[in-house]
Amino acid sequence: MALEKYKSKRQFTKTPEPRAKVLKKSFGRFVVHEHHARNLHWDFRLEMESGIGSQEVVLKSWAVPKGPPLKFGEKRLAVAVEDHPVDYINFHGKIPEGEYGAGTVKIWDKGKFELLNRTTKEIEIILHGNKLRGRYVLVKTGFSKNSWLMMRLKEK
Ligand code: MN
């Protein structure tokens, strides 16, 4: 199942994070978590099927070291991380010391998105959040297995 990796990294008796549960339907939501872990980063998460053609709805997740881009044409590195359960969309709080991702997690932005296009290498969306609004694209790079770039695009 899509959340094996998520499960294997966490001890649910110790972390307040949601348990691994896949859902069948997406409501087209996104969230950005501000994660004060060892290194501050932002986690960008889209509620969608784990893979193209999959029935398992999860939060596809990327860690964005410098935060999502706000300006047109600005490119930000986004490192794909393990799928997270949809319940994570409302999660905020403190992951205890010694646990995976230890540190404070805040919701930096959330809202709905429209999916314009999805391939294994590219995801194009329109975000309707409070801070993030407009057309965005995530593009897989050739640099390393999990590295993507997140960019804000001009409206068509
Ligand atoms: Mn994180």
Side-chain angles (χ1 to χ4, degrees):
M1 89 80 157
L3 296 173
E4 283 309 324
K5 232 184 199 166
Y6 175 86
K7 225 156 106 180
S8 71
K9 288 172 183 277
R10 292 168 175 83
Q11 306 182 69
F12 296 103
T13 50
K14 295 191 176 151
T15 178
E17 293 166 288
R19 284 170 188 268
K21 190 173 84 187
V22 294
L23 298 183
K24 291 258 155 66
K25 188 183 178 332
S26 168
F27 294 92
R29 296 172 295 174
F30 81 94
V31 68
V32 183
H33 284 115
E34 181 181 324
H35 189 178
H36 295 256
R38 196 158 4 134
N39 296 303
L40 171 65
H41 62 274
W42 286 261
D43 291 299
F44 180 68
R45 310 188 195 280
L46 295 172
E47 183 184 25
M48 55 166 55
E49 290 76 19
S50 175
I52 294 163
S54 157
Q55 305 283 317
E56 299 180 319
V57 172
V58 296
L59 299 179
K60 297 306 289 181
S61 298
W62 292 262
V64 186
K66 293 185 175 171
L70 296 168
K71 294 180 193 152
F72 295 114
E74 206 170 36
K75 291 188 179 100
R76 291 286 167 85
L77 174 68
V79 180
V81 298
E82 76 276 16
D83 290 349
H84 279 48
V86 171
D87 289 344
Y88 214 93
I89 211 152
N90 295 313
F91 175 72
H92 57 95
K94 201 170 158 36
I95 301 170
E97 217 45 61
E99 296 308 300
Y100 180 72
T104 303
V105 177
K106 296 176 191 167
I107 294 176
W108 183 81
D109 197 18
K110 64 178 177 179
K112 293 250 193 178
F113 72 92
E114 296 166 58
L115 183 62
L116 299 180
N117 187 37
R118 180 181 185 186
T119 68
T120 52
K121 292 179 178 168
E122 194 174 305
I123 298 173
E124 193 182 335
I125 49 187
I126 298 175
L127 298 177
H128 302 282
N130 292 314
K131 293 183 174 118
L132 298 182
R133 304 188 67 84
R135 199 155 70 94
Y136 278 81
V137 69
L138 286 142
V139 185
K140 207 168 191 307
T141 76
F143 307 153
S144 75
K145 197 173 129 235
N146 297 320
S147 97
W148 294 61
L149 290 172
M150 183 177 184
M151 266 175 289
R152 184 173 183 199
L153 303 176
K154 288 247 176 7
E155 309 307 313
K156 271 181 184 159

